[in-house]
């Protein structure tokens, strides 16, 4: 597993204490729900900036009242898992408090245009994030989409088809991690070398992420 911690991607501190959860029924998968550059797959150096932009938009949202990035983790198309709220913390992304307490939330860097199809590296990262939340956060066996229980198109049809197929892990051996992204060899292991640091931003501003429905 290639894990980038909050400190490594330059997270702002939460506005208030997270709500502790001992365990969940499983994990719900999300996507950004806005345009994501198709060439993001060739630019891992943009990914930390996208996570910072998601957190900034969530903290600034005038209606949702989020205290932090809404997701427990964000996964980029290079197999890298960015720590969001992390294990044992209630998400803010699933739609309401009962839904948020029932499942963790993991967001894939996919959009409704541009980059819409998950590659094997992204699916591998999603599997790693799910296993991490099981081992470290008491997540149960369920893997669902955001639309399961909430009226939304999230996480998009291509990613939802993978979920409906059982969220299988892609065959190993076809993906080379990006430089500097090496992390623990197993979910729940010690953090690896730092990933992208604060200040590595894409050459154009990332699209603002959706609200709770995305």
């Amino acid at each position: 597993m290639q894990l980038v911690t909050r400190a490594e991607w330059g997270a702002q501190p939460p506005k208030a204490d997270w709500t502790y959860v001992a365990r969940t029924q499983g994990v719900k998968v999300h996507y950004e729900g806005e345009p994501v550059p198709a060439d993001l797959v060739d630019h891992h150096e943009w990914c930390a900036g996208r996570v910072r932009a998601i957190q900034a938009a969530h903290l600034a949202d005038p209606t949702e009242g989020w205290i932090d990035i809404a997701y427990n983790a964000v996964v980029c198309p290079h197999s890298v898992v960015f720590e969001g709220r992390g294990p044992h913390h209630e998400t803010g992304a699933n739609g309401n408090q009962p839904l948020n307490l029932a499942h963790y939330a993991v967001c894939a860097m996919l959009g409704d245009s541009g980059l819409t199809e998950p590659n094997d590296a992204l699916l591998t990262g999603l599997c790693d994030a799910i296993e991490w939340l099981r081992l470290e956060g008491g997540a149960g066996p369920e893997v669902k989409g955001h639309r399961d229980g909430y009226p939304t198109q999230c996480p998009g049809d291509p990613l939802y088809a993978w979920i409906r197929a059982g969220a299988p892990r892609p065959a190993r051996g076809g993906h080379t991690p990006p430089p500097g992204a090496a992390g623990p060899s197993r979910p729940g292991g010690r953090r690896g070398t730092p990933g992208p640091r604060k200040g590595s931003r894409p050459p154009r501003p990332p699209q603002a992420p959706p609200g709770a429905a995305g």
Side-chain angles (χ1 to χ4, degrees):
M1 176 181 174
Q2 303 166 59
L3 180 67
V4 176
T5 67
R6 290 175 62 90
E8 289 167 350
W9 62 259
Q12 299 180 54
K15 292 180 178 179
D17 291 339
W18 296 304
T19 298
Y20 176 83
V21 291
R23 61 186 59 84
T24 67
Q25 296 173 29
V27 174
K28 281 187 174 173
V29 177
H30 297 244
Y31 76 159
E32 292 191 41
E34 296 285 342
V36 173
D39 56 348
L40 181 65
V41 295
D42 300 318
H43 293 280
H44 180 57
E45 71 274 14
W46 296 353
C47 294
R50 293 194 69 83
V51 183
R52 290 193 295 271
I54 292 172
Q55 186 194 36
H58 286 189
L59 287 172
D61 189 280
T63 59
E64 295 292 344
W66 283 312
I67 62 170
D68 195 2
I69 189 169
Y71 309 112
N72 299 94
V74 180
V75 178
C76 78
H78 311 95
S79 289
V80 176
V81 179
F82 291 84
E83 181 184 25
R85 297 191 181 195
H88 290 302
H89 298 141
E90 178 189 7
T91 183
N94 290 336
N96 57 41
Q97 188 172 39
L99 292 170
N100 289 337
L101 291 172
H103 293 86
Y104 290 120
V106 174
C107 182
M109 285 189 191
L110 291 178
D112 55 9
S113 63
L115 185 60
T116 60
E117 295 279 346
N119 61 10
D120 281 357
L122 189 146
L123 297 178
T124 295
L126 287 174
C127 290
D128 287 345
I130 291 166
E131 291 179 9
W132 175 56
L133 290 169
R134 287 173 177 167
L135 287 169
E136 299 292 334
E142 293 182 349
V143 179
K144 295 188 174 184
H146 185 193
R147 65 179 67 177
D148 292 320
Y150 192 83
T152 174
Q153 294 300 308
C154 184
D157 290 342
L159 195 52
Y160 191 60
W162 171 76
I163 295 167
R164 292 292 299 272
R169 179 178 287 275
R172 297 182 183 275
H175 171 61
T176 301
S185 61
R186 61 176 180 83
R190 297 293 298 172
R191 269 85 171 179
T193 56
R197 301 294 296 196
K198 190 172 185 178
S200 80
R201 296 181 181 274
R204 53 184 179 278
Q207 297 289 331

